[in-house]
Every structure is written in structure tokens, then in C-alpha cells.
Amino acid sequence: MTRLFAVLTVLFATWPSVGADPVGPWDVKALKAAEVKPEWGKDAGRVKEVFYPGEPLKGKATRVFAYYARPATGAGPFPAVLLVHGGGGKAFPAWAEHWAARGYCALAMDLSGNGPNGPLADGGPDQSDDTKFRDFDDKTVRDMWTYHAVAAVLRGHNLLRRLPEVDKENVAVTGISWGGYLTCIVAGVDDRLKAAVPVYGCGFLHENSVWKESRFDKVGAARRQRWVGAFDPSKYLPNVTCPILFLNGTNDFAYPLDSYQKCYELVKGPRAVSVRVRLPHGHIWTFGEVDAFIDSHLKKGAPLPEIGAMTRTGDTASAKVNSTVKLKAGQLHYAIADGPWQKREWKSLPAEIKDGVVSAKLPADRPLVYELAVTDDRGLEVSAPHAVLGADPPPAKKR
């Protein structure tokens, strides 16, 4: 007990509570105030190379490389979006082009210490798992990959805000996989954002994720809690104030639905959820839900449908639903609530939409995990938070 108390004392003394400045290891006030002067590089098709200063690494200055794109016509000011890649990713010029074609300025930065042609001599930490999960203390916490990656996104936000063609009051962030993980943290520390969309990535990685056994279970409790206390998104999601959309798949190999639901339920402000059956995992930036969600908050576009929490009466599940776009279909997605999330076999049944309510009769399978979902005429899908129905009790013994 004495040892545990000592560990917790160190943790609480080292990482300030969410809602304060600094938050975790980041001095958010200083980061938001940092002057970020771009160093423009070559034109690369419809995008432009840019370098900007990152946080010091082991006492030495660093630079971040990114691709910047803006709409082909018009003077602006345009809304803008920060694009955060995942593991094995890089600064993707095509991602920035995707958003520029949609009327946004976009910054797709590299978070692996690389430039356009490989590692930078003055780049930040690499993105290997060994680097992400290595041990640290209060003197080396600001040399960690997550620290640098989050700071690079905030500094990239500063860069966008200083450009004359950018509407600095209309900036969003979206990230994929590890970029989704980072987006969860960034949305909780940067209150200047107007919308956020983490795709796949979430927190509670120590409780269930592809890294639980390989990383968290192989280290001592103190080291594990040190990482979680500083770098797990669960510590920052309660601080999110901008609207946020969580997009994931039912069988995601890295971010399972139990950890995922714990994360989005931490958000106190406006949130939407889209858990798609067997959604593929990759650097995919063409999900219509992401585009429409950001449009609705930065360009007054038609919002995604809204679906409430599910209720159950007998074997019927229902949820309130509202949409400004005509709803095309309702569905009940379900699977046996047993075994690893990644291996569960999900099935779908039609659900009825009537008088602002979507409902469906549950199948006889038990134990059962299920969610109601609706799709609008644009083909965009949102879902209610999943629920689990336990196994039926054994029949009573005859006396």
C-alpha cells in the first residue's frame, strides 16, 4: 500500500489535472501562443512543401515537415483542417488535396521525424512502437513521441491561423488510427478547434487494444500508469468542448469497441458516433461521414443524422432519431457478445423508422451486443452506442 501511494503521489504531482494549463506534459498556453513561422519549400503538384519549428528534442531544435494545400480559386478566408496520419503513415499530399478540392485550406504534417525524402537531420522522434512506449520520467517526458506529435499539431494550427487566406476561427482536426488517438488528445487540449474527427483511434489502450499484451502487460504497474497518466486519450477526452465524431469499425484490429465506447462516453459536449460493420482499417480519407461532419460545423452544411441512446422493451430495441436529410434506411447490427471483439461475426437486420424513432426486434441469440443505425439519402451512417444483453438465466428447477 505504501508503494502504491508513493507511485500515485508521483503521478499526480507530475501531471496536472485536465482543465489546467499546462495539461499533462504540455504547456498548452505557451504552445498556443508560440509564433510559428513557415519555411516554404517546393511546389509538389497542387500542394506546397512547408517546414515549421517543432518542440526541442533532448535540448536540440527540431522541424516538422508538412504539405499545405488551399482551394484553387478565390481569396478566402477559407475554413481549414489539420490532417494527422497514423502508424506507418506520413504527410500525405493527396489528403491535403482532397480537402482543398472541397474548399478548405489543409495542412498534412509528418509526425515521424521525416521530410519529403526521408529522415530529417533535425526531425522529431520516430513513430516506432519502441519509441512510443519507452519508459520516461519527469525530466524526459517532453522527449516522448506523443508529446512531440501533439505539440506539432498545435503548432501546425498556429501556422494555419497566421495565413491570410485562412479563417482562423474555423479550423478542424481529423486523424486516422494513431492519428485518431492524437486527435482525441488534441481536441481535449486545444479549445480553438471547431470540430474534431478521430477515425479508429481512441484511448484506454492499457485496458483493451492491440498493444495491451505486447506493451502494457509486459511492464510494471508504475511504468504502465506513468504512460497512461501522461499519454492515454482517456485523460483528455473529458475536456473536449468542440463537436466530435467518432468513426470506427465493429472488428477493428487495434481499437476494440469496449475501449472505444468508454472513450466517447467521456465527452460531455456534442458528439456523434458511427460504428460501421467491418469497416476496413487504413489511411482512408474518403469517408463521407468525416467530410459531412466537418462541413456541418465549418461551412453550415447539412449535419449528420442524430440518433439517441437505445432503450429496450422486451425484445425490441429503439432510439429516437432526427435528420434534416431524408433517412433512407434503419438497421440493427448485432453479434454474439463473446470472445475477442476483432473476431465477432456481425450481422444486420432491417430496422423500422417511424415517427422519429428507429426500432427493431432483437434476435434470439444470447449473449448479444447490438446497435441501431440509420443511413440518410447521402449514404451516411450514424449509430447509437452499442449495448450488451446478457445470457438468459437458466430455467428454474422444478420442485
Side-chain angles (χ1 to χ4, degrees):
M1 182 64 73
T2 301
R3 183 179 179 184
L4 176 60
F5 179 79
V7 170
L8 292 174
T9 299
V10 171
L11 286 172
F12 289 128
T14 305
W15 318 126
S17 61
V18 173
D21 267 328
V23 173
W26 296 278
D27 187 339
V28 175
K29 185 176 181 180
L31 279 170
K32 292 194 298 185
E35 185 177 7
V36 179
K37 294 182 178 180
E39 175 190 339
W40 297 103
K42 301 176 183 177
D43 289 333
R46 289 172 289 178
V47 300
K48 194 172 186 67
E49 296 177 353
V50 62
F51 299 82
Y52 62 92
E55 288 289 281
L57 177 61
K58 298 180 180 178
K60 296 182 180 180
T62 67
R63 289 188 303 163
V64 179
F65 170 72
Y67 288 110
Y68 172 73
R70 56 165 293 169
T73 59
F78 303 103
V81 61
L82 296 154
L83 307 174
V84 190
H85 69 77
K90 61 181 182 179
F92 291 106
W95 198 4
E97 291 172 356
H98 169 83
W99 282 94
R102 304 189 67 259
Y104 290 79
C105 295
L107 188 73
M109 72 287 293
D110 179 274
L111 300 173
S112 302
N114 291 320
N117 301 307
L120 294 172
D122 55 355
D126 68 67
Q127 202 180 358
S128 68
D129 280 0
D130 285 344
T131 299
K132 288 190 184 89
F133 293 110
R134 69 175 179 82
D135 199 9
F136 62 92
D137 56 27
D138 58 345
K139 294 181 180 179
T140 59
V141 64
R142 293 190 175 186
D143 293 334
M144 293 292 286
W145 175 81
T146 301
Y147 174 83
H148 277 260
V150 169
V153 178
L154 266 69
R155 285 175 167 269
H157 191 175
N158 292 0
L159 186 158
L160 286 177
R161 292 172 69 88
R162 67 176 283 130
L163 299 177
E165 66 267 28
V166 170
D167 179 356
K168 66 180 182 179
E169 300 304 326
N170 270 307
V171 181
V173 62
T174 183
I176 297 171
S177 196
W178 272 106
Y181 153 92
L182 293 172
T183 297
C184 289
I185 298 176
V186 169
V189 300
D190 191 346
D191 60 5
R192 301 170 297 177
L193 293 164
K194 290 300 181 287
V197 185
V199 179
Y200 316 119
C202 68
F204 290 102
L205 302 187
H206 58 301
E207 294 189 8
N208 195 14
S209 72
V210 72
W211 301 277
K212 181 182 184 296
E213 292 184 6
S214 63
R215 295 292 169 174
F216 294 104
D217 290 354
K218 291 185 176 181
V219 300
R223 175 172 170 178
R224 179 168 57 250
Q225 288 304 317
R226 197 157 45 242
W227 194 96
V228 171
F231 297 128
D232 193 81
S234 60
K235 305 301 177 183
Y236 305 99
L237 284 165
N239 224 27
V240 174
T241 56
C242 68
I244 184 168
L245 166 67
F246 291 84
L247 176 65
N248 199 4
T250 54
N251 298 80
D252 195 77
F253 83 97
Y255 304 96
L257 293 192
D258 52 353
S259 292
Y260 203 69
Q261 187 175 77
K262 289 177 184 177
C263 281
Y264 64 69
E265 287 184 342
L266 290 173
V267 176
K268 300 179 179 69
R271 70 157 197 250
V273 177
S274 181
V275 173
R276 307 274 295 280
V277 174
R278 291 180 292 276
L279 188 76
H281 186 115
H283 277 106
I284 304 168
W285 50 76
T286 52
F287 294 124
E289 290 83 359
V290 179
D291 294 352
F293 184 81
I294 291 178
D295 281 354
S296 69
H297 293 288
L298 273 69
K299 296 177 71 174
K300 298 182 180 180
L304 294 177
E306 296 178 0
I307 186 169
M310 294 185 297
T311 59
R312 182 174 62 87
T313 303
D315 283 338
T316 299
S318 61
K320 292 182 179 180
V321 64
N322 179 54
S323 182
T324 61
V325 177
K326 184 180 178 181
L327 294 175
K328 181 169 63 176
Q331 287 187 305
L332 173 75
H333 304 310
Y334 67 95
I336 296 299
D338 193 28
W341 285 94
Q342 296 88 339
K343 296 181 179 181
R344 296 182 186 183
E345 182 182 356
W346 285 78
K347 301 176 183 179
S348 299
L349 292 171
E352 181 184 41
I353 302 173
K354 184 178 180 181
D355 299 329
V357 174
V358 56
S359 62
K361 185 175 180 179
L362 300 175
D365 310 44
R366 299 289 187 274
L368 188 75
V369 56
Y370 61 95
E371 64 175 28
L372 286 165
V374 293
T375 304
D376 67 18
D377 268 357
R378 298 170 293 180
L380 306 181
E381 181 177 336
V382 296
S383 51
H386 73 257
V388 176
L389 184 58
D392 290 332
K397 293 182 180 180
K398 294 182 180 180
R399 294 185 178 180

